[in-house]
């Protein structure tokens, strides 16, 4: 009998990408066949993000777009899974969408699909015990792997929906994580990225993130990265562990969100700008040349012109290598959605554009400053022009090296930086 085929389309963060790999493993174990072409699918699952309004709007448009495939496949089923599914629940069920499953419901997908053939099903029960630690993901990359160290979030920042869509924090057992990485090393993987909504609050019976980071580095995996850090919980011992382990990549992603202490307090971020800057200074003192990136929100309720200028001042002071900058997006159910001092949408857009322009200029300058330095790069694929190789440096900056040397995806190269295209670094082989 031919297997029922499933196509998964993933949106959002790295945890969503890992979740899609877990979903593929769960469905494959239950006899479903995974396909890479949506036109071959009997079931299409959209793994969604609920953090911003634009992300959800894209999903609604995508469902409408993909529904045209039913003209040739009248039995085609559609499902929305992930954070948007958890947030909107039954409201997503329609004549098109018959499967709705939240982040803690993936083990039940085979049963949900079976029931949905008769009537739409929304399964969005949050489960504090669920961490999928026994699932071996169907990985989409043979050289780089996502490894969850914790799930959920306890911070309840006033603008953020994540604690409501992914539940409370729970850390995976340290031994389990180390065993997973050991297995990846034996399978030839070259890097792992440790994932969590706030990896700094990892705690397994007294084992904190710094100790876990060291144990993962001890497995011999060539490269270790981690996402995402919260400034309130990033301790000196994490930075010190990074500084003494050569296989921990020299990149720190540290979301600031706002450069105004007043706005940070309204956001419930639990740190001040001075504390944040002290972390940046410590990281650069321990690891000269480290790449720093951030997340920032513009137009948060009550953000004044002065608050906005303070955010720009921090961007100038830190000189991030790159940043992920957004305008504030109301999320139903969050504290900030009930604030009555919302910034007009047009002003949010204007502030965001100004911040992006500033950061792009700084990114270009930072890349220029790296010309002449030597970085290590993990080869991902051929460059777009086919004349060289594309990869990611240990600074987590996209890097392109020209030339026909005999290399392949998964190889490490030493690259001397010779230029920049703006977002990427350009280089030449360095022996």
């Amino acid at each position: 009998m031919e297997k029922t085929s499933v196509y998964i389309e993933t949106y959002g963060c790295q945890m969503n990408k890992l979740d899609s790999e877990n979903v593929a493993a769960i469905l494959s174990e239950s006899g479903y066949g995974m396909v890479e072409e949506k036109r071959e699918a009997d079931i299409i699952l959209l793994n969604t993000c609920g953090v911003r309004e634009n992300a959800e709007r894209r999903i609604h448009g995508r469902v409408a777009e993909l529904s045209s495939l039913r003209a040739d496949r009248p039995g085609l089923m559609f499902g929305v899974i992930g954070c948007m599914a958890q947030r909107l629940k039954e409201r997503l069920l329609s004549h098109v969408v018959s499967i709705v499953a939240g982040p803690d419901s993936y083990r039940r997908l085979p049963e949900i699909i079976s029931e949905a053939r008769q009537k739409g099903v929304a399964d969005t029960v949050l489960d504090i015990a669920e961490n999928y630690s026994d699932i071996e993901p169907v990985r989409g990359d043979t050289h780089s792997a996502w490894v969850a160290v914790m799930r959920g979030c306890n911070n309840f920042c006033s603008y953020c929906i994540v604690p409501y869509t992914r539940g409370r924090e729970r850390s995976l057992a340290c031994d389990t994580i180390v065993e997973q990485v050991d297995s990846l090393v034996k399978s030839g993987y070259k890097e792992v990225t440790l994932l969590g909504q706030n990896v700094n609050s990892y705690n397994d019976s007294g084992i904190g993130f710094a100790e876990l980071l060291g144990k993962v580095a001890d497995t011999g995996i060539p490269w270790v990265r981690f996402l995402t850090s919260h400034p309130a919980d990033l301790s000196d011992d994490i930075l010190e562990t990074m500084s003494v382990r050569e296989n921990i990549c020299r990149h720190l992603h540290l979301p600031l969100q706002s450069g105004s202490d007043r706005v940070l307090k309204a956001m419930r971020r639990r740190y001040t700008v001075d504390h944040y800057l002290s972390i940046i200074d410590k990281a650069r003192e321990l690891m000269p040349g480290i790449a720093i990136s951030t997340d920032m929100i513009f137009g948060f309720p009550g953000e004044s012109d002065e608050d906005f200028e303070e955010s720009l001042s921090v961007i100038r002071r830190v000189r991030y290598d790159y940043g992920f900058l957004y305008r504030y997006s109301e999320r139903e159910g969050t504290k900030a959605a009930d604030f009555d001092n919302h910034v007009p949408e047009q002003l949010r857009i204007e502030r965001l554009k100004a911040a992006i322009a500033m950061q792009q200029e700084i990114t270009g300058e930072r890349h220029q400053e790296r010309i002449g330095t030597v970085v290590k790069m993990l080869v991902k694929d051929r460059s777009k022009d086919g004349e060289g190789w594309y990869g990611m440096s240990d600074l987590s900056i996209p890097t392109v090296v020209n030339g026909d040397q005999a290399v392949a995806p998964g190889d490490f190269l030493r690259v001397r930086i010779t230029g920049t295209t703006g977002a990427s670094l350009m280089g030449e082989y360095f022996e």
Side-chain angles (χ1 to χ4, degrees):
M1 180 183 295
E2 187 175 343
K3 290 183 177 180
T4 300
S5 58
V6 181
Y7 171 80
I8 304 175
E9 199 164 274
T10 307
Y11 298 82
C13 67
Q14 290 83 356
M15 188 68 82
N16 267 18
K17 294 175 184 177
L18 175 57
D19 280 350
S20 288
E21 294 178 347
N22 285 329
V23 167
I26 290 166
L27 292 179
S28 296
E29 181 67 22
S30 295
Y32 291 84
M34 311 308 298
V35 294
E36 297 184 2
E37 171 51 56
K38 55 185 173 292
R39 295 186 181 277
E40 299 174 1
D42 301 306
I43 301 169
I44 293 178
L45 299 178
L46 302 182
N47 190 359
T48 62
C49 174
V51 173
R52 283 173 289 278
E53 181 182 1
N54 280 349
E56 293 188 350
R57 190 180 297 122
R58 283 183 67 195
I59 297 302
H60 286 299
R62 188 62 172 151
V63 169
E65 178 185 347
L66 291 173
S67 64
S68 64
L69 296 174
R70 280 186 166 170
D72 297 322
R73 301 179 73 89
L76 180 63
M77 298 177 69
F78 287 92
V80 176
I81 65 177
C83 290
M84 181 180 175
Q86 187 68 39
R87 193 179 84 81
L88 297 179
K89 301 179 172 64
E90 288 85 357
R91 282 182 278 175
L92 286 170
L93 293 175
S94 67
H95 69 285
V96 176
V97 176
S98 57
I99 300 162
V100 176
D104 290 350
S105 302
Y106 299 147
R107 286 185 195 274
R108 298 188 290 276
L109 270 172
E111 292 78 17
I112 293 170
I113 291 170
S114 179
E115 293 175 23
R117 296 187 189 282
Q118 305 301 320
K119 181 182 179 182
V121 176
D123 188 322
T124 55
V125 176
L126 290 175
D127 184 355
I128 191 64
E130 182 58 86
N131 59 28
Y132 302 109
S133 62
D134 60 323
I135 302 295
E136 179 58 40
V138 175
R139 300 196 183 274
D141 192 305
T142 57
H143 310 296
S144 304
W146 315 109
V147 175
V149 303
M150 60 186 302
R151 298 179 70 88
C153 184
N154 289 350
N155 284 299
F156 289 92
C157 299
S158 62
Y159 56 84
C160 186
I161 199 68
V162 168
Y164 306 97
T165 60
R166 288 193 171 270
R168 303 302 292 270
E169 285 181 359
R170 59 270 199 193
S171 298
L172 281 73
C174 177
D175 289 346
T176 298
I177 295 165
V178 173
E179 287 171 6
Q180 287 181 16
V181 178
D182 267 327
S183 177
L184 290 166
V185 172
K186 292 171 183 174
S187 297
Y189 278 80
K190 301 299 179 66
E191 69 172 350
V192 297
T193 301
L194 307 181
L195 298 179
Q197 266 64 49
N198 174 18
V199 293
N200 304 144
S201 61
Y202 175 87
N203 190 329
D204 174 34
S205 302
I207 296 175
F209 186 64
E211 186 174 352
L212 172 68
L213 196 55
K215 288 178 179 292
V216 169
D218 284 342
T219 64
I221 188 80
W223 273 6
V224 182
R225 306 182 193 271
F226 59 90
L227 295 167
T228 290
S229 289
H230 192 297
D233 301 311
L234 198 151
S235 56
D236 284 353
D237 61 347
I238 294 174
L239 297 178
E240 289 162 1
T241 299
M242 290 179 67
S243 71
V244 298
R245 302 302 181 103
E246 292 185 358
N247 57 341
I248 298 178
C249 291
R250 295 299 189 258
H251 168 230
L252 178 63
H253 183 70
L254 195 64
L256 171 64
Q257 305 303 7
S258 174
S260 161
D261 283 340
R262 191 182 68 81
V263 174
L264 287 175
K265 185 175 181 180
M267 287 179 165
R268 293 177 160 181
R269 287 294 287 173
R270 299 190 295 114
Y271 54 86
T272 64
V273 171
D274 281 347
H275 176 72
Y276 180 93
L277 292 175
S278 72
I279 297 172
I280 300 297
D281 290 343
K282 181 74 171 180
R284 285 178 167 158
E285 175 189 342
L286 291 172
M287 294 166 282
I290 187 174
I292 308 286
S293 58
T294 197
D295 297 336
M296 292 186 72
I297 297 169
F298 296 91
F300 185 79
E303 181 188 72
S304 65
D305 289 343
E306 182 180 355
D307 295 324
F308 173 60
E309 288 300 326
E310 288 178 352
S311 289
L312 296 184
S313 178
V314 175
I315 293 176
R316 292 189 197 97
R317 156 78 159 78
V318 175
R319 292 181 58 77
Y320 297 104
D321 290 83
Y322 56 94
F324 300 92
L325 312 183
Y326 309 95
R327 74 179 188 275
Y328 170 71
S329 178
E330 291 93 351
R331 297 285 79 191
E332 179 186 0
T334 63
K335 195 78 172 175
D338 296 329
F339 292 173
D340 57 8
N341 51 352
H342 285 262
V343 175
E345 176 72 0
Q346 187 56 42
L347 185 54
R348 297 184 215 178
I349 294 172
E350 291 172 3
R351 288 176 177 173
L352 174 62
K353 286 182 176 179
I356 288 174
M358 175 181 287
Q359 181 55 55
Q360 286 178 335
E361 182 177 353
I362 292 172
T363 294
E365 293 170 354
R366 293 286 290 159
H367 286 0
Q368 288 288 335
E369 291 165 8
R370 296 193 186 277
I371 292 176
T373 64
V374 176
V375 301
K376 196 173 180 181
M377 162 183 153
L378 177 60
V379 176
K380 298 289 186 181
D381 206 343
R382 274 286 185 184
S383 57
K384 288 182 179 179
D385 61 10
E387 297 181 0
W389 295 94
Y390 161 83
M392 193 67 69
S393 74
D394 51 352
L395 303 171
S396 296
I397 298 174
T399 303
V400 176
V401 58
N402 289 324
D404 276 333
Q405 279 82 348
V407 298
D411 288 348
F412 285 106
L413 299 177
R414 279 166 56 79
V415 178
R416 178 167 27 215
I417 303 305
T418 58
T420 175
T421 62
S424 302
L425 295 172
M426 303 294 293
E428 61 186 10
Y429 295 99
F430 182 80
E431 297 300 333

